Amino acid sequence: MTHASGNQKHVPVRLRVDTNHFSEGDKKALLDLMRAVQLIDPVWTEQMAHQDFAAELETVAVQLEAAAPFVTHSGFRNFLLGRAEAFRTNSYHASDIEWVQYRGAPFELIIGPFEPSDKLGGAKEFEGTLGIVLPDYQKRVRQYEKFAIEFEVELGRRYDFDPRYTSTPITAVDVIVLAGGAMSFIAMASKLPNDEDIRARVGSKTTLFRNIIEAKFRKITFPIAQRVLGVELNPETFVQYVLGHELSHGFAFRFQRERFGPLAASLEEAKADVFGVLFLYFLAERGIISRETAEEAAMACIADSMREVRVNLEEAHAVGALMRFNWLREAGALRFEGNRIALERSLLRGAFETLGDRLYALTQTPSPEAAAKFVGQRATVSDPLRFIVGFLEELPVDIVPKFEV
């Protein structure tokens, strides 16, 4: 694993989640689901788990079945039973579809083998995430979904493609337990499954992890923005930036692993950040948010890109961040000045737009050579960027969630 600096400080963060409002049946289901998630082992991959860990997978299946009778939501209960069967048979496709399609459950459970977002096309790794759904917060973020569909229509006119937005309604949760691959990379959100066949049939599910987003913002991205950009970011704007990123994964043009191989994940993350920012500029044009908020979201993207490159330079989000830094620098939208980044705000949107144009064009190339050349030229660490990363060495690189339920 390659890091931008020697400092690898991971700060423990206590995340308290209140379950007092749940019924006794809900609490019993939660306990069984927590036990199921905690059984997930980070060393499992889909192929080897069913060869070598059948007994352990059976234990997970039993815990899912134990929770099911206490769940009143029929779609979620059916998913639990289908997922339990999948743990026994190594056939997850049907329960993946059930998971995407159920709505309105009080809990969200992401469990099973998934392609890691930073290794599209690689072996599926087992992960587990259990969260409590936040209805009021969820209602607030879902208002942006219809605008994402409208934005893709506009992109379709710009790039001459047929829009077919493939995301289902956003789920927003406070996470109460993580395990397996979900602990090796602490995500602020997820958009799963990555299976292109399922996405074509029923779409994908976007899940925002509110307490993780808030913790990473407070402990890492906010102080980075203060020190490097000289701005104090609004936490709500940061949520909008994260949301725009996740919604952009649902647009019709994607860097698919079948064509782009190991480059797909990095290019897809770069695409999501760029079009996520452009989505917020689109909202500003519609009067949904202010122009200042859209501009601040672009700055949030830059500050959070610095967070990403500090974690692991080989990880997909970091490679995408390097491409953005170098493109924006070449476009004159940012420049490195010692331990600070100076922005030409009047050039920011144009620089994001031209990068978006380039990334869209790459999704349409018949072979991956052009994409490989683009990544090779743009995903580089300049000396000025490395200097700023070193300047931030005393800040945490990531959080270690400590859940209190």
Side-chain angles (χ1 to χ4, degrees):
M1 189 177 286
T2 303
H3 303 284
S5 74
N7 172 39
Q8 282 301 296
K9 183 169 64 174
H10 292 65
V11 60
V13 176
R14 296 192 178 279
L15 302 176
R16 189 177 186 279
V17 182
D18 184 12
T19 61
N20 290 329
H21 60 290
F22 284 126
S23 68
E24 289 305 311
D26 285 339
K27 290 179 181 178
K28 178 65 172 66
L30 268 180
L31 286 173
D32 285 325
L33 294 176
M34 289 176 67
R35 293 187 187 107
V37 170
Q38 289 165 344
L39 290 167
I40 300 297
D41 194 306
V43 304
W44 295 351
T45 61
E46 184 178 20
Q47 182 178 4
M48 61 89 70
H50 286 270
Q51 293 173 346
D52 302 333
F53 296 102
E56 289 84 348
L57 294 178
E58 173 63 23
T59 305
V60 177
V62 169
Q63 285 297 146
L64 295 176
E65 290 174 332
F70 298 96
V71 174
T72 57
H73 187 282
S74 60
F76 187 58
R77 183 172 62 250
N78 291 339
F79 163 69
L80 293 181
L81 296 174
R83 208 53 159 185
E85 183 64 16
F87 270 84
R88 296 185 174 107
T89 63
N90 195 28
S91 179
Y92 293 89
H93 193 271
S95 58
D96 277 346
I97 292 175
E98 287 180 326
W99 176 72
V100 172
Q101 291 183 318
Y102 74 71
R103 307 276 189 277
F107 318 127
E108 184 58 89
L109 177 65
I110 303 170
I111 190 167
F114 297 98
E115 290 177 343
S117 62
D118 61 330
K119 302 173 189 174
L120 292 182
K124 291 185 178 181
E125 299 176 358
F126 279 78
E127 63 178 79
T129 301
L130 177 62
I132 295 175
V133 173
L134 308 166
D136 292 340
Y137 186 86
Q138 186 169 266
K139 183 178 180 180
R140 195 165 87 243
V141 297
R142 280 184 176 178
Q143 67 179 314
Y144 295 102
E145 292 172 326
K146 63 179 181 179
F147 299 116
I149 295 171
E150 293 175 10
F151 180 52
E152 191 183 28
V153 170
E154 181 165 296
L155 292 176
R157 288 194 290 264
R158 180 182 181 100
Y159 298 129
D160 192 26
F161 70 86
D162 293 326
R164 46 179 177 82
Y165 193 71
T166 60
S167 187
T168 58
I170 297 165
T171 302
V173 304
D174 272 344
V175 177
I176 60 174
V177 64
L178 297 168
M183 277 299 291
S184 62
F185 179 82
I186 310 295
M188 295 187 290
S190 75
K191 193 171 192 67
L192 292 169
N194 286 314
D195 187 304
E196 295 294 343
D197 175 64
I198 293 176
R199 287 195 177 208
R201 289 181 59 186
V202 297
S204 57
K205 181 182 284 190
T206 299
T207 310
L208 297 185
F209 307 143
R210 183 185 70 169
N211 50 352
I212 303 292
I213 292 172
E214 291 179 350
K216 289 206 179 196
F217 174 76
R218 178 167 45 89
K219 291 291 186 179
I220 308 172
T221 303
F222 182 83
I224 287 176
Q226 281 183 313
R227 298 179 187 207
V228 175
L229 297 176
V231 298
E232 295 197 354
L233 295 176
N234 185 318
E236 183 63 26
T237 302
F238 185 69
V239 171
Q240 291 169 323
Y241 152 68
V242 174
L243 179 61
H245 173 104
E246 296 302 327
L247 290 172
S248 294
H249 280 307
F251 295 151
F253 53 99
R254 283 174 51 80
F255 287 96
Q256 297 180 348
R257 66 183 184 276
E258 290 83 359
R259 186 189 305 176
F260 296 97
L263 295 175
S266 299
L267 288 163
E268 180 63 23
E269 292 303 330
K271 182 210 84 174
D273 256 343
V274 169
F275 284 96
V277 169
L278 293 175
F279 171 59
L280 295 174
Y281 277 112
F282 170 80
L283 293 181
E285 286 182 343
R286 294 296 185 91
I288 309 302
I289 63 175
S290 69
R291 169 80 185 198
E292 291 74 21
T293 297
E295 192 171 85
E296 186 178 358
M299 291 186 280
C301 176
I302 292 167
D304 208 53
S305 296
M306 187 65 70
R307 176 189 65 81
E308 290 168 339
V309 301
R310 295 177 67 233
V311 178
N312 177 4
L313 289 174
E314 296 174 355
E315 193 273 328
H317 296 79
V319 175
L322 292 174
M323 288 187 266
R324 289 191 299 278
F325 276 127
N326 287 311
W327 187 278
L328 295 176
R329 186 185 185 191
E330 291 172 18
L334 69 76
R335 61 185 181 275
F336 299 115
E337 296 182 347
N339 55 18
R340 301 289 290 269
I341 293 177
L343 301 177
E344 276 304 330
R345 299 191 182 190
S346 62
L347 300 178
L348 269 178
R349 181 176 184 177
F352 274 96
E353 285 179 339
T354 56
L355 180 52
D357 292 343
R358 185 75 179 103
L359 290 169
Y360 174 79
L362 288 174
T363 66
Q364 306 305 300
T365 55
S367 63
E369 285 77 12
K373 181 178 180 181
F374 180 81
V375 174
Q377 290 175 338
R378 292 305 196 293
T380 58
V381 185
S382 66
D383 288 339
L385 177 60
R386 196 179 298 276
F387 180 82
I388 293 177
V389 169
F391 168 69
L392 296 171
E393 196 167 40
E394 66 185 71
L395 292 179
V397 169
D398 208 347
I399 64 168
V400 179
K402 304 292 184 183
F403 299 104
E404 297 179 352
V405 181

